[in-house]
Amino acid sequence: CLWLDEVPMPNRPQVLPSLADREVFLEMVGPVGSPELNDFLTSFGPVEDVFQLPGQQRGYVRFMEHSAAANCVSLGAGFWSESERALSSDQPSLQGTSCYPESLVVLIGGTGSNVIQSLMEKSGVRNLRLHAGGRMAHAGGVIGRTESSDYERVCYSCKGFQIQMQKLKAALQEMLEGAHMHLTCKAEENLPREVEVSGLPDPWVHSEIKKFFSRHGFVERLQRGYNG
């Protein structure tokens, strides 16, 4: 498997974490269950789950509290799990609580366009599938729901040689960069663009107020209120 957080993400959206975010991706300081790793992780807060990537010293840690995960990230020990963000953005029940405005799973798995088939053609791998909790995308081109899933985190499974896996990783990075740029634009569209200010000089007319605030950017609309 190739896990989502293994793919380089230079254009990852710079958004504030959701209060529901509790998972980080980090370098393991010891085997799962070892005193060294347990002491390291619990120094940030209580831990709910640890998953080490097979054959690697990296993995996912889900803390019981958002504050513990935030502490881990702020101290540079790990990064927010992109897998967790992808899954939360894909759940209608969590709409409004995810830090992403649209489903990242759909963006990297496709709905009608055959994203998976394109990745297979670029890399040469076979039987490529995207696993995202209860969702799976394959060469049929349409992402669908499954009754159950053995994959708690977002990953790609396939068959191929090492050089093909490297090509797949490069193709995924390119695709993920496009998806992240799209999410960044959508997030900026949802940012508040209107402010209320006070203390303006009474003699100022409309053009003077607009000129004053134009130094911060384009003023789309200006409405002045009067007390009394």
Side-chain angles (χ1 to χ4, degrees):
C1 286
L2 180 61
W3 305 89
L4 182 60
D5 287 85
E6 292 186 84
V7 181
M9 295 178 280
N11 290 335
R12 193 178 193 188
Q14 300 299 309
V15 294
L16 293 175
S18 162
L19 293 178
D21 291 347
R22 297 185 292 117
E23 187 172 85
V24 298
F25 186 72
L26 46 68
E27 294 283 341
M28 300 289 186
V29 297
V32 175
S34 66
E36 296 84 1
L37 182 61
N38 290 340
D39 290 344
F40 174 72
L41 296 178
T42 54
S43 68
F44 303 112
V47 175
E48 179 179 303
D49 181 58
V50 179
F51 174 70
Q52 185 171 356
L53 303 189
Q56 298 191 41
Q57 295 300 315
R58 298 184 295 175
Y60 293 95
V61 176
R62 184 182 301 127
F63 291 93
M64 297 184 66
E65 301 171 353
H66 168 80
S67 58
N71 189 29
C72 178
V73 173
S74 66
L75 292 176
F79 302 92
W80 289 110
S81 165
E82 191 68 5
S83 172
E84 182 185 47
R85 291 185 171 184
L87 293 175
S88 65
S89 71
D90 192 51
Q91 299 182 37
S93 61
L94 296 178
Q95 188 174 7
T97 62
S98 172
C99 61
Y100 287 162
E102 291 184 8
S103 171
L104 178 57
V105 172
V106 171
L107 290 174
I108 63 176
T111 51
S113 60
N114 203 333
V115 175
I116 299 299
Q117 183 64 39
S118 175
L119 289 171
M120 291 173 61
E121 293 173 356
K122 289 181 179 180
S123 63
V125 300
R126 308 179 307 280
N127 301 333
L128 180 64
R129 279 165 172 71
L130 166 66
H131 304 273
R135 301 259 260 175
M136 183 176 72
H138 48 77
V142 178
I143 189 168
R145 294 199 173 274
T146 58
E147 292 184 1
S148 62
S149 175
D150 295 329
Y151 301 90
E152 290 187 33
R153 296 166 178 91
V154 180
C155 68
Y156 291 85
S157 65
C158 65
K159 294 181 179 180
F161 298 106
Q162 183 176 0
I163 189 171
Q164 293 173 322
M165 295 297 294
Q166 293 173 348
K167 290 181 179 180
L168 174 62
K169 192 172 184 178
L172 286 172
Q173 179 179 345
E174 181 181 358
M175 181 185 64
L176 196 55
E177 286 179 1
H180 279 163
M181 290 178 65
H182 174 79
L183 290 173
T184 296
C185 291
K186 286 294 182 180
E188 290 176 350
E189 290 176 4
N190 294 335
L191 291 174
R193 298 185 295 117
E194 187 171 276
V195 296
E196 180 178 342
V197 297
S198 60
L200 296 175
D202 289 336
W204 278 13
V205 296
H206 187 281
S207 59
E208 290 175 307
I209 298 175
K210 188 172 184 179
K211 180 179 179 181
F212 177 79
F213 287 104
S214 292
R215 69 181 69 178
H216 304 290
F218 176 73
V219 178
E220 181 178 299
R221 185 171 64 92
L222 174 64
Q223 180 179 350
R224 184 166 188 176
Y226 295 91
N227 294 328

